[in-house]
Amino acid sequence: MTTTVRDVVQLAPPGPRRSWRDRLRGPAVFVLIAVLALVVAPLVLEPFRLGLLAKYLCFGIVALGIGLAWGQGGMLTLGQGVFFGLGGYAMGMYLKLHDAGGDLPDFMVWSGVERLPALWTPFGNPLFAIAFAVIGPVVLAVLLGSLVFRQRVRGAYFAILTQALAAAVVILLVGQQGLTGGTNGLTNFFDLFGQDLAADGTQRGLYIVVAAVLGLLYLVAWQLVRSRFGRLLVAIRDGEDRVRFLGYNPATVKTVTFAVSAGMAGLAGALFVPVVGIISPALLGVVPSLELVVAVAVGGRFSLAGAVLGAVLMGYAKTFFSEEFADGWLYLQGALFILVMTLAPKGIFGLAATVRGLLPSRRERT
């Protein structure tokens, strides 16, 4: 009799029964963090620090997608900055057109552009801009994944390919001064849906939106990982050839996962622009993409919560070190990464799981 992955999933014996306390622990922690993020943080943090936290949470959304693609699917993507940038430029284009009020954006006037390029025209509609911020990265990821995964490109080769894509996109953006703003990118945004972006109330509202979106996407990713699709994704990560021999198509599963992670990065870029007030090639090149991967590794790439935690911690560490040690913060940030990877190769969440495993259980104590 032939055994398939489906049979294994359906006939595998259930794991040890968990108590109701163990089953409620995960949802309880999620609710606690949601309350702290949505209620407590806006009340206790000053506007500047709240804006920084909103920026970290935007990176957390990107990290969530990386954790899904890399941690669960084994696809080390070093070019998430490309998808982040597509979403950011889509939102930035809408904001520039809205601020211009029918005239040319300021950087186009400085660059000698006389008519609005046709590429910019649809982005005057906010619904189109927001939709493109998500759909554009997804379409690009599907095209790239369909070409790459069907050729069974994986591992370091896939990582190098995505890194090369990020470098090529940066060169393209820098070279189109009149179309993209060149090295400076798009900046000087003043209004968002009739609200002053510089107002404290607007920034507080943006923070709540970012935190809520991160929470919703986390629930979606968590459910995806727990589904049969998620188990198949992990099976492909651990033994792609075996899954293929059992009759499944790993290329399709990996492409879908890669597209989901790209859509998350694009949405994060769209939220990042009104929060921070800029989108430029420096934010979507090779170095920012590598920093996000490092953050996921620090938090724990095999855990979705660890990926988000790593992005927030690394963002905070970057700000703290740059404020306190302006001359050597890069060295301190690198030392932090080396320390975590040396003591906890599976990241902070992996270390926490190891410590929990060493502690005696409730039943053993009694």
Side-chain angles (χ1 to χ4, degrees), residues 12-316:
R17 296 186 63 181
R18 298 186 302 167
S19 66
W20 63 271
R21 293 179 180 177
D22 293 333
R23 294 184 179 184
L24 290 178
R25 184 177 302 163
V29 172
F30 178 83
V31 171
L32 176 60
I33 295 176
V35 171
L36 291 175
L38 294 174
V39 179
V40 178
L43 294 177
V44 301
L45 293 178
E46 59 184 24
F48 175 72
R49 296 298 172 183
L50 192 65
L52 288 177
L53 182 56
K55 182 176 73 170
Y56 305 154
L57 294 183
C58 289
F59 292 143
I61 296 175
V62 185
L64 180 64
I66 295 176
L68 189 63
W70 181 31
Q72 304 298 318
M75 295 171 281
L76 177 56
T77 170
L78 301 180
Q80 288 299 98
V82 173
F83 308 121
F84 179 83
L86 282 177
Y89 270 92
M91 178 57 71
M93 291 164 72
Y94 161 70
L95 293 177
K96 293 301 291 184
L97 290 175
H98 180 70
D99 290 340
D103 297 328
L104 288 177
D106 48 10
F107 75 91
M108 289 187 181
V109 176
W110 303 334
S111 302
V113 177
E114 298 180 355
R115 296 182 58 185
L116 184 69
L119 177 63
W120 275 68
T121 303
F123 291 93
N125 187 320
L127 295 179
F128 179 88
I130 295 174
F132 183 88
V134 178
I135 297 175
V138 168
V139 171
L140 178 60
V142 169
L143 293 176
L144 181 63
S146 299
L147 294 174
V148 172
F149 296 135
R150 292 185 185 279
Q151 300 299 321
R152 302 184 184 181
V153 177
R154 54 189 175 184
Y157 300 101
F158 175 73
I160 294 174
L161 180 63
T162 56
Q163 189 177 47
L165 176 64
V169 170
V170 169
I171 294 174
L172 177 64
L173 292 175
V174 171
Q176 301 295 322
Q177 174 69 37
L179 190 64
T180 64
T183 305
N184 296 325
L186 306 180
T187 186
N188 294 329
F189 308 119
F190 303 104
D191 185 89
L192 175 65
F193 304 135
Q195 302 296 319
D196 182 10
L197 276 176
D200 294 343
T202 303
Q203 289 298 315
R204 186 173 289 105
L206 285 172
Y207 166 80
I208 293 175
V209 170
V210 172
V213 169
L214 174 57
L216 291 175
L217 290 179
Y218 178 83
L219 290 177
V220 171
W222 180 76
Q223 184 61 40
L224 184 65
V225 169
R226 290 172 58 89
S227 66
R228 291 180 58 188
F229 180 88
R231 282 176 282 181
L232 181 59
L233 181 63
V234 173
I236 292 174
R237 179 196 69 190
D238 296 336
E240 181 173 339
D241 292 332
R242 292 184 179 182
V243 174
R244 181 180 293 107
F245 293 151
L246 290 173
Y248 288 85
N249 186 358
T252 301
V253 178
K254 294 170 72 173
T255 300
V256 170
T257 306
F258 187 45
V260 171
S261 69
M264 290 182 178
L267 182 56
L271 294 171
F272 178 88
V273 170
V275 168
V276 180
I278 186 175
I279 184 69
S280 70
L283 294 169
L284 57 133
V286 174
V287 174
S289 299
L290 287 174
E291 287 182 345
L292 287 168
V293 171
V294 168
V296 172
V298 168
R301 68 184 179 97
F302 298 110
S303 168
L304 297 178
V308 177
L309 176 65
V312 175
L313 288 181
M314 290 298 287
Y316 175 78

Side-chain angles (χ1 to χ4, degrees), residues 307-330:
V308 177
L309 176 65
V312 175
L313 288 181
M314 290 298 287
Y316 175 78
K318 185 175 182 179
T319 301
F320 176 79
F321 289 150
S322 62
E323 289 178 347
E324 300 296 331
F325 310 99
D327 295 332
W329 67 271
L330 282 175

